[in-house]
mmCIF file of all heavy atoms in Angstrom:
data_model
loop_
_atom_site.group_PDB
_atom_site.id
_atom_site.type_symbol
_atom_site.label_atom_id
_atom_site.label_comp_id
_atom_site.label_asym_id
_atom_site.label_seq_id
_atom_site.Cartn_x
_atom_site.Cartn_y
_atom_site.Cartn_z
ATOM 1 N N LYS A 102 -12.025 -8.567 -10.179
ATOM 2 C CA LYS A 102 -10.985 -8.426 -9.151
ATOM 3 C C LYS A 102 -10.293 -7.085 -9.339
ATOM 4 O O LYS A 102 -9.893 -6.720 -10.434
ATOM 5 C CB LYS A 102 -9.966 -9.562 -9.290
ATOM 6 C CG LYS A 102 -8.675 -9.371 -8.494
ATOM 7 C CD LYS A 102 -8.914 -9.485 -6.990
ATOM 8 C CE LYS A 102 -7.604 -9.288 -6.219
ATOM 9 N NZ LYS A 102 -7.259 -7.850 -6.053
ATOM 10 N N THR A 103 -10.149 -6.330 -8.244
ATOM 11 C CA THR A 103 -9.474 -5.036 -8.316
ATOM 12 C C THR A 103 -7.965 -5.228 -8.395
ATOM 13 O O THR A 103 -7.442 -6.325 -8.194
ATOM 14 C CB THR A 103 -9.805 -4.177 -7.085
ATOM 15 O OG1 THR A 103 -9.202 -4.761 -5.916
ATOM 16 C CG2 THR A 103 -11.317 -4.068 -6.872
ATOM 17 N N ILE A 104 -7.240 -4.134 -8.651
ATOM 18 C CA ILE A 104 -5.777 -4.212 -8.751
ATOM 19 C C ILE A 104 -5.117 -4.244 -7.376
ATOM 20 O O ILE A 104 -3.905 -4.447 -7.281
ATOM 21 C CB ILE A 104 -5.199 -3.039 -9.568
ATOM 22 C CG1 ILE A 104 -5.490 -1.692 -8.877
ATOM 23 C CG2 ILE A 104 -5.745 -3.045 -10.988
ATOM 24 C CD1 ILE A 104 -4.778 -0.514 -9.517
ATOM 25 N N SER A 105 -5.887 -4.078 -6.325
ATOM 26 C CA SER A 105 -5.321 -3.995 -4.978
ATOM 27 C C SER A 105 -4.800 -5.341 -4.484
ATOM 28 O O SER A 105 -5.391 -6.389 -4.742
ATOM 29 C CB SER A 105 -6.381 -3.480 -4.000
ATOM 30 O OG SER A 105 -5.829 -3.286 -2.710
ATOM 31 N N ASN A 106 -3.676 -5.281 -3.754
ATOM 32 C CA ASN A 106 -3.104 -6.442 -3.057
ATOM 33 C C ASN A 106 -2.736 -7.581 -4.003
ATOM 34 O O ASN A 106 -2.998 -8.747 -3.724
ATOM 35 C CB ASN A 106 -4.061 -6.942 -1.967
ATOM 36 C CG ASN A 106 -3.360 -7.838 -0.949
ATOM 37 O OD1 ASN A 106 -2.133 -7.838 -0.827
ATOM 38 N ND2 ASN A 106 -4.138 -8.609 -0.202
ATOM 39 N N VAL A 107 -2.114 -7.222 -5.105
ATOM 40 C CA VAL A 107 -1.575 -8.194 -6.060
ATOM 41 C C VAL A 107 -0.109 -7.828 -6.283
ATOM 42 O O VAL A 107 0.197 -6.657 -6.546
ATOM 43 C CB VAL A 107 -2.341 -8.166 -7.401
ATOM 44 C CG1 VAL A 107 -1.714 -9.134 -8.397
ATOM 45 C CG2 VAL A 107 -3.809 -8.496 -7.177
ATOM 46 N N PRO A 108 0.816 -8.768 -6.170
ATOM 47 C CA PRO A 108 2.243 -8.443 -6.345
ATOM 48 C C PRO A 108 2.524 -7.822 -7.713
ATOM 49 O O PRO A 108 1.984 -8.262 -8.731
ATOM 50 C CB PRO A 108 2.934 -9.803 -6.201
ATOM 51 C CG PRO A 108 1.982 -10.636 -5.415
ATOM 52 C CD PRO A 108 0.612 -10.189 -5.819
ATOM 53 N N VAL A 109 3.374 -6.789 -7.705
ATOM 54 C CA VAL A 109 3.762 -6.094 -8.928
ATOM 55 C C VAL A 109 5.192 -6.490 -9.285
ATOM 56 O O VAL A 109 6.085 -6.435 -8.429
ATOM 57 C CB VAL A 109 3.671 -4.560 -8.740
ATOM 58 C CG1 VAL A 109 4.081 -3.837 -10.017
ATOM 59 C CG2 VAL A 109 2.256 -4.159 -8.328
ATOM 60 N N ASN A 110 5.405 -6.861 -10.504
ATOM 61 C CA ASN A 110 6.736 -7.250 -10.957
ATOM 62 C C ASN A 110 7.566 -6.029 -11.341
ATOM 63 O O ASN A 110 7.048 -5.128 -12.014
ATOM 64 C CB ASN A 110 6.653 -8.176 -12.171
ATOM 65 C CG ASN A 110 5.874 -9.439 -11.900
ATOM 66 O OD1 ASN A 110 5.937 -9.986 -10.805
ATOM 67 N ND2 ASN A 110 5.124 -9.910 -12.885
ATOM 68 N N GLY A 111 8.821 -5.996 -10.935
ATOM 69 C CA GLY A 111 9.727 -4.978 -11.437
ATOM 70 C C GLY A 111 10.223 -3.917 -10.483
ATOM 71 O O GLY A 111 11.423 -3.629 -10.451
ATOM 72 N N PRO A 112 9.358 -3.263 -9.683
ATOM 73 C CA PRO A 112 9.828 -2.164 -8.846
ATOM 74 C C PRO A 112 10.829 -2.614 -7.780
ATOM 75 O O PRO A 112 10.791 -3.772 -7.334
ATOM 76 C CB PRO A 112 8.549 -1.633 -8.185
ATOM 77 C CG PRO A 112 7.438 -2.124 -9.029
ATOM 78 C CD PRO A 112 7.893 -3.424 -9.583
ATOM 79 N N THR A 113 11.682 -1.680 -7.381
ATOM 80 C CA THR A 113 12.615 -1.937 -6.279
ATOM 81 C C THR A 113 12.381 -1.000 -5.104
ATOM 82 O O THR A 113 13.023 -1.143 -4.067
ATOM 83 C CB THR A 113 14.068 -1.765 -6.757
ATOM 84 O OG1 THR A 113 14.252 -0.434 -7.277
ATOM 85 C CG2 THR A 113 14.393 -2.781 -7.855
ATOM 86 N N GLY A 114 11.461 -0.052 -5.264
ATOM 87 C CA GLY A 114 11.182 0.876 -4.178
ATOM 88 C C GLY A 114 9.977 1.745 -4.479
ATOM 89 O O GLY A 114 9.339 1.627 -5.533
ATOM 90 N N ILE A 115 9.659 2.632 -3.524
ATOM 91 C CA ILE A 115 8.537 3.570 -3.636
ATOM 92 C C ILE A 115 9.099 4.980 -3.508
ATOM 93 O O ILE A 115 9.953 5.249 -2.648
ATOM 94 C CB ILE A 115 7.487 3.296 -2.551
ATOM 95 C CG1 ILE A 115 6.925 1.872 -2.720
ATOM 96 C CG2 ILE A 115 6.348 4.305 -2.612
ATOM 97 C CD1 ILE A 115 5.982 1.434 -1.606
ATOM 98 N N SER A 116 8.625 5.888 -4.346
ATOM 99 C CA SER A 116 9.242 7.217 -4.448
ATOM 100 C C SER A 116 8.987 8.107 -3.242
ATOM 101 O O SER A 116 9.766 9.026 -2.980
ATOM 102 C CB SER A 116 8.750 7.922 -5.719
ATOM 103 O OG SER A 116 7.349 8.149 -5.657
ATOM 104 N N LYS A 117 7.904 7.891 -2.513
ATOM 105 C CA LYS A 117 7.578 8.687 -1.329
ATOM 106 C C LYS A 117 7.294 7.751 -0.155
ATOM 107 O O LYS A 117 6.914 6.596 -0.341
ATOM 108 C CB LYS A 117 6.348 9.563 -1.574
ATOM 109 C CG LYS A 117 6.474 10.532 -2.741
ATOM 110 C CD LYS A 117 7.477 11.626 -2.476
ATOM 111 C CE LYS A 117 7.500 12.602 -3.664
ATOM 112 N NZ LYS A 117 8.525 13.649 -3.480
ATOM 113 N N SER A 118 7.470 8.282 1.034
ATOM 114 C CA SER A 118 7.207 7.486 2.229
ATOM 115 C C SER A 118 5.701 7.372 2.464
ATOM 116 O O SER A 118 4.991 8.384 2.545
ATOM 117 C CB SER A 118 7.874 8.134 3.446
ATOM 118 O OG SER A 118 7.548 7.442 4.631
ATOM 119 N N VAL A 119 5.234 6.129 2.557
ATOM 120 C CA VAL A 119 3.819 5.852 2.846
ATOM 121 C C VAL A 119 3.772 4.858 4.000
ATOM 122 O O VAL A 119 4.166 3.701 3.850
ATOM 123 C CB VAL A 119 3.085 5.272 1.621
ATOM 124 C CG1 VAL A 119 1.632 4.942 1.985
ATOM 125 C CG2 VAL A 119 3.129 6.239 0.450
ATOM 126 N N PHE A 120 3.296 5.323 5.156
ATOM 127 C CA PHE A 120 3.214 4.446 6.319
ATOM 128 C C PHE A 120 2.054 3.472 6.141
ATOM 129 O O PHE A 120 0.922 3.869 5.890
ATOM 130 C CB PHE A 120 3.014 5.272 7.593
ATOM 131 C CG PHE A 120 2.674 4.446 8.804
ATOM 132 C CD1 PHE A 120 3.489 3.400 9.216
ATOM 133 C CD2 PHE A 120 1.523 4.706 9.538
ATOM 134 C CE1 PHE A 120 3.170 2.626 10.313
ATOM 135 C CE2 PHE A 120 1.192 3.947 10.643
ATOM 136 C CZ PHE A 120 2.027 2.905 11.032
ATOM 137 N N PHE A 121 2.375 2.178 6.264
ATOM 138 C CA PHE A 121 1.361 1.140 6.116
ATOM 139 C C PHE A 121 1.458 0.158 7.270
ATOM 140 O O PHE A 121 2.544 -0.321 7.613
ATOM 141 C CB PHE A 121 1.533 0.389 4.792
ATOM 142 C CG PHE A 121 0.705 -0.866 4.703
ATOM 143 C CD1 PHE A 121 -0.661 -0.793 4.493
ATOM 144 C CD2 PHE A 121 1.292 -2.121 4.847
ATOM 145 C CE1 PHE A 121 -1.435 -1.955 4.419
ATOM 146 C CE2 PHE A 121 0.533 -3.274 4.778
ATOM 147 C CZ PHE A 121 -0.839 -3.187 4.565
ATOM 148 N N ASP A 122 0.328 -0.115 7.879
ATOM 149 C CA ASP A 122 0.214 -1.147 8.914
ATOM 150 C C ASP A 122 -1.139 -1.807 8.715
ATOM 151 O O ASP A 122 -2.182 -1.143 8.767
ATOM 152 C CB ASP A 122 0.327 -0.515 10.307
ATOM 153 C CG ASP A 122 0.366 -1.568 11.416
ATOM 154 O OD1 ASP A 122 -0.244 -2.648 11.233
ATOM 155 O OD2 ASP A 122 0.993 -1.323 12.453
ATOM 156 N N LEU A 123 -1.118 -3.102 8.481
ATOM 157 C CA LEU A 123 -2.342 -3.828 8.158
ATOM 158 C C LEU A 123 -3.424 -3.662 9.222
ATOM 159 O O LEU A 123 -4.615 -3.688 8.921
ATOM 160 C CB LEU A 123 -2.023 -5.314 7.968
ATOM 161 C CG LEU A 123 -3.155 -6.213 7.464
ATOM 162 C CD1 LEU A 123 -3.615 -5.784 6.073
ATOM 163 C CD2 LEU A 123 -2.710 -7.672 7.449
ATOM 164 N N GLN A 124 -3.004 -3.459 10.491
ATOM 165 C CA GLN A 124 -3.965 -3.395 11.586
ATOM 166 C C GLN A 124 -4.174 -1.991 12.137
ATOM 167 O O GLN A 124 -4.893 -1.821 13.119
ATOM 168 C CB GLN A 124 -3.503 -4.315 12.725
ATOM 169 C CG GLN A 124 -3.369 -5.776 12.320
ATOM 170 C CD GLN A 124 -2.975 -6.659 13.472
ATOM 171 O OE1 GLN A 124 -3.645 -6.704 14.506
ATOM 172 N NE2 GLN A 124 -1.872 -7.389 13.317
ATOM 173 N N ASN A 125 -3.569 -0.993 11.519
ATOM 174 C CA ASN A 125 -3.649 0.367 12.044
ATOM 175 C C ASN A 125 -4.547 1.227 11.164
ATOM 176 O O ASN A 125 -4.168 1.589 10.051
ATOM 177 C CB ASN A 125 -2.251 0.974 12.135
ATOM 178 C CG ASN A 125 -2.251 2.306 12.868
ATOM 179 O OD1 ASN A 125 -3.298 2.909 13.115
ATOM 180 N ND2 ASN A 125 -1.063 2.776 13.237
ATOM 181 N N PRO A 126 -5.741 1.601 11.640
ATOM 182 C CA PRO A 126 -6.648 2.419 10.824
ATOM 183 C C PRO A 126 -6.176 3.861 10.672
ATOM 184 O O PRO A 126 -6.772 4.618 9.896
ATOM 185 C CB PRO A 126 -7.970 2.358 11.604
ATOM 186 C CG PRO A 126 -7.572 2.075 13.013
ATOM 187 C CD PRO A 126 -6.350 1.211 12.932
ATOM 188 N N ALA A 127 -5.111 4.248 11.397
ATOM 189 C CA ALA A 127 -4.598 5.617 11.297
ATOM 190 C C ALA A 127 -3.378 5.710 10.386
ATOM 191 O O ALA A 127 -2.678 6.716 10.389
ATOM 192 C CB ALA A 127 -4.249 6.142 12.691
ATOM 193 N N SER A 128 -3.094 4.679 9.608
ATOM 194 C CA SER A 128 -1.915 4.693 8.739
ATOM 195 C C SER A 128 -2.153 5.581 7.518
ATOM 196 O O SER A 128 -3.292 5.917 7.166
ATOM 197 C CB SER A 128 -1.582 3.274 8.286
ATOM 198 O OG SER A 128 -2.600 2.769 7.439
ATOM 199 N N ASP A 129 -1.049 5.965 6.874
ATOM 200 C CA ASP A 129 -1.151 6.771 5.650
ATOM 201 C C ASP A 129 -1.951 6.045 4.576
ATOM 202 O O ASP A 129 -2.758 6.663 3.865
ATOM 203 C CB ASP A 129 0.253 7.078 5.098
ATOM 204 C CG ASP A 129 1.034 8.048 5.963
ATOM 205 O OD1 ASP A 129 0.416 8.725 6.802
ATOM 206 O OD2 ASP A 129 2.269 8.115 5.795
ATOM 207 N N ALA A 130 -1.724 4.750 4.449
ATOM 208 C CA ALA A 130 -2.397 3.976 3.408
ATOM 209 C C ALA A 130 -3.913 4.006 3.574
ATOM 210 O O ALA A 130 -4.658 4.179 2.605
ATOM 211 C CB ALA A 130 -1.886 2.539 3.418
ATOM 212 N N VAL A 131 -4.382 3.840 4.807
ATOM 213 C CA VAL A 131 -5.829 3.868 5.062
ATOM 214 C C VAL A 131 -6.387 5.264 4.804
ATOM 215 O O VAL A 131 -7.468 5.418 4.227
ATOM 216 C CB VAL A 131 -6.129 3.414 6.500
ATOM 217 C CG1 VAL A 131 -7.606 3.632 6.836
ATOM 218 C CG2 VAL A 131 -5.763 1.949 6.694
ATOM 219 N N LEU A 132 -5.645 6.273 5.215
ATOM 220 C CA LEU A 132 -6.087 7.651 4.991
ATOM 221 C C LEU A 132 -6.215 7.940 3.495
ATOM 222 O O LEU A 132 -7.195 8.541 3.049
ATOM 223 C CB LEU A 132 -5.100 8.620 5.638
ATOM 224 C CG LEU A 132 -5.451 10.114 5.577
ATOM 225 C CD1 LEU A 132 -6.750 10.394 6.321
ATOM 226 C CD2 LEU A 132 -4.318 10.954 6.161
ATOM 227 N N LEU A 133 -5.243 7.503 2.721
ATOM 228 C CA LEU A 133 -5.288 7.706 1.280
ATOM 229 C C LEU A 133 -6.457 6.944 0.652
ATOM 230 O O LEU A 133 -7.188 7.489 -0.179
ATOM 231 C CB LEU A 133 -3.968 7.264 0.651
ATOM 232 C CG LEU A 133 -2.774 8.189 0.898
ATOM 233 C CD1 LEU A 133 -1.462 7.470 0.604
ATOM 234 C CD2 LEU A 133 -2.886 9.456 0.041
ATOM 235 N N ASN A 134 -6.641 5.699 1.050
ATOM 236 C CA ASN A 134 -7.750 4.901 0.522
ATOM 237 C C ASN A 134 -9.097 5.536 0.846
ATOM 238 O O ASN A 134 -10.017 5.529 0.011
ATOM 239 C CB ASN A 134 -7.708 3.488 1.074
ATOM 240 C CG ASN A 134 -6.563 2.645 0.544
ATOM 241 O OD1 ASN A 134 -6.312 1.540 1.015
ATOM 242 N ND2 ASN A 134 -5.829 3.160 -0.444
ATOM 243 N N ASP A 135 -9.221 6.066 2.046
ATOM 244 C CA ASP A 135 -10.466 6.718 2.451
ATOM 245 C C ASP A 135 -10.748 7.949 1.596
ATOM 246 O O ASP A 135 -11.901 8.327 1.407
ATOM 247 C CB ASP A 135 -10.404 7.096 3.929
ATOM 248 C CG ASP A 135 -11.739 7.609 4.448
ATOM 249 O OD1 ASP A 135 -12.776 6.990 4.157
ATOM 250 O OD2 ASP A 135 -11.739 8.645 5.151
ATOM 251 N N GLY A 136 -9.685 8.553 1.068
ATOM 252 C CA GLY A 136 -9.835 9.710 0.190
ATOM 253 C C GLY A 136 -9.808 9.347 -1.280
ATOM 254 O O GLY A 136 -9.532 10.205 -2.132
ATOM 255 N N ASN A 137 -10.064 8.072 -1.593
ATOM 256 C CA ASN A 137 -10.151 7.580 -2.966
ATOM 257 C C ASN A 137 -8.819 7.644 -3.716
ATOM 258 O O ASN A 137 -8.783 7.862 -4.935
ATOM 259 C CB ASN A 137 -11.224 8.336 -3.763
ATOM 260 C CG ASN A 137 -12.602 8.179 -3.181
ATOM 261 O OD1 ASN A 137 -12.913 7.154 -2.573
ATOM 262 N ND2 ASN A 137 -13.441 9.195 -3.326
ATOM 263 N N VAL A 138 -7.732 7.455 -2.994
ATOM 264 C CA VAL A 138 -6.406 7.376 -3.606
ATOM 265 C C VAL A 138 -5.862 5.968 -3.401
ATOM 266 O O VAL A 138 -5.796 5.486 -2.266
ATOM 267 C CB VAL A 138 -5.424 8.404 -2.995
ATOM 268 C CG1 VAL A 138 -4.040 8.247 -3.623
ATOM 269 C CG2 VAL A 138 -5.940 9.818 -3.185
ATOM 270 N N THR A 139 -5.506 5.318 -4.480
ATOM 271 C CA THR A 139 -4.839 4.017 -4.404
ATOM 272 C C THR A 139 -3.351 4.265 -4.204
ATOM 273 O O THR A 139 -2.739 4.999 -4.987
ATOM 274 C CB THR A 139 -5.075 3.206 -5.685
ATOM 275 O OG1 THR A 139 -6.473 2.942 -5.813
ATOM 276 C CG2 THR A 139 -4.319 1.887 -5.646
ATOM 277 N N THR A 140 -2.781 3.671 -3.183
ATOM 278 C CA THR A 140 -1.386 3.919 -2.879
ATOM 279 C C THR A 140 -0.543 2.673 -3.122
ATOM 280 O O THR A 140 -1.039 1.662 -3.641
ATOM 281 C CB THR A 140 -1.227 4.423 -1.429
ATOM 282 O OG1 THR A 140 0.102 4.910 -1.239
ATOM 283 C CG2 THR A 140 -1.535 3.332 -0.421
ATOM 284 N N LEU A 141 0.738 2.767 -2.769
ATOM 285 C CA LEU A 141 1.683 1.681 -2.978
ATOM 286 C C LEU A 141 2.224 1.224 -1.629
ATOM 287 O O LEU A 141 2.500 2.057 -0.760
ATOM 288 C CB LEU A 141 2.850 2.131 -3.865
ATOM 289 C CG LEU A 141 2.505 2.995 -5.080
ATOM 290 C CD1 LEU A 141 3.774 3.422 -5.801
ATOM 291 C CD2 LEU A 141 1.567 2.258 -6.022
ATOM 292 N N ILE A 142 2.374 -0.068 -1.466
ATOM 293 C CA ILE A 142 2.917 -0.599 -0.222
ATOM 294 C C ILE A 142 3.976 -1.650 -0.536
ATOM 295 O O ILE A 142 4.048 -2.178 -1.651
ATOM 296 C CB ILE A 142 1.823 -1.226 0.668
ATOM 297 C CG1 ILE A 142 1.207 -2.467 -0.025
ATOM 298 C CG2 ILE A 142 0.744 -0.210 1.019
ATOM 299 C CD1 ILE A 142 0.333 -3.312 0.891
ATOM 300 N N ARG A 143 4.792 -1.924 0.477
ATOM 301 C CA ARG A 143 5.745 -3.022 0.371
ATOM 302 C C ARG A 143 5.438 -4.031 1.468
ATOM 303 O O ARG A 143 5.702 -3.808 2.639
ATOM 304 C CB ARG A 143 7.178 -2.508 0.513
ATOM 305 C CG ARG A 143 8.214 -3.621 0.381
ATOM 306 C CD ARG A 143 9.622 -3.089 0.370
ATOM 307 N NE ARG A 143 10.590 -4.156 0.118
ATOM 308 C CZ ARG A 143 11.889 -3.947 -0.084
ATOM 309 N NH1 ARG A 143 12.377 -2.705 -0.072
ATOM 310 N NH2 ARG A 143 12.691 -4.970 -0.306
ATOM 311 N N LYS A 144 4.812 -5.116 1.085
ATOM 312 C CA LYS A 144 4.515 -6.215 2.001
ATOM 313 C C LYS A 144 4.451 -7.485 1.166
ATOM 314 O O LYS A 144 3.557 -7.629 0.327
ATOM 315 C CB LYS A 144 3.194 -5.996 2.748
ATOM 316 C CG LYS A 144 2.920 -7.056 3.830
ATOM 317 C CD LYS A 144 1.651 -6.728 4.607
ATOM 318 C CE LYS A 144 1.345 -7.796 5.644
ATOM 319 N NZ LYS A 144 2.364 -7.866 6.720
ATOM 320 N N GLN A 145 5.415 -8.360 1.385
ATOM 321 C CA GLN A 145 5.548 -9.544 0.540
ATOM 322 C C GLN A 145 5.623 -9.131 -0.928
ATOM 323 O O GLN A 145 4.887 -9.629 -1.785
ATOM 324 C CB GLN A 145 4.394 -10.518 0.780
ATOM 325 C CG GLN A 145 4.315 -11.031 2.212
ATOM 326 C CD GLN A 145 3.113 -11.936 2.458
ATOM 327 O OE1 GLN A 145 2.525 -12.469 1.529
ATOM 328 N NE2 GLN A 145 2.761 -12.117 3.716
ATOM 329 N N GLY A 146 6.514 -8.211 -1.189
ATOM 330 C CA GLY A 146 6.653 -7.633 -2.517
ATOM 331 C C GLY A 146 5.969 -6.278 -2.572
ATOM 332 O O GLY A 146 5.383 -5.811 -1.599
ATOM 333 N N PHE A 147 6.030 -5.639 -3.718
ATOM 334 C CA PHE A 147 5.378 -4.343 -3.896
ATOM 335 C C PHE A 147 3.979 -4.550 -4.454
ATOM 336 O O PHE A 147 3.761 -5.384 -5.344
ATOM 337 C CB PHE A 147 6.210 -3.462 -4.825
ATOM 338 C CG PHE A 147 7.517 -3.041 -4.240
ATOM 339 C CD1 PHE A 147 8.679 -3.753 -4.514
ATOM 340 C CD2 PHE A 147 7.594 -1.959 -3.384
ATOM 341 C CE1 PHE A 147 9.892 -3.390 -3.953
ATOM 342 C CE2 PHE A 147 8.804 -1.586 -2.816
ATOM 343 C CZ PHE A 147 9.948 -2.305 -3.103
ATOM 344 N N ARG A 148 3.037 -3.766 -3.938
ATOM 345 C CA ARG A 148 1.624 -3.935 -4.304
ATOM 346 C C ARG A 148 0.913 -2.592 -4.370
ATOM 347 O O ARG A 148 1.307 -1.639 -3.670
ATOM 348 C CB ARG A 148 0.890 -4.811 -3.280
ATOM 349 C CG ARG A 148 1.472 -6.211 -3.120
ATOM 350 C CD ARG A 148 0.979 -6.882 -1.843
ATOM 351 N NE ARG A 148 1.632 -8.181 -1.655
ATOM 352 C CZ ARG A 148 1.099 -9.367 -1.948
ATOM 353 N NH1 ARG A 148 -0.136 -9.419 -2.395
ATOM 354 N NH2 ARG A 148 1.771 -10.477 -1.775
#
């Protein structure tokens, strides 16, 4: 199992703005993932 989409304990925020939309292929998160960068999101906790 990868580290993706698992709640992280402890954080209260993210240091940079990362646009995330589960259904939007043009979001920052998808762009980063496509470039082999694992990013941070806030959805039902931080992940």
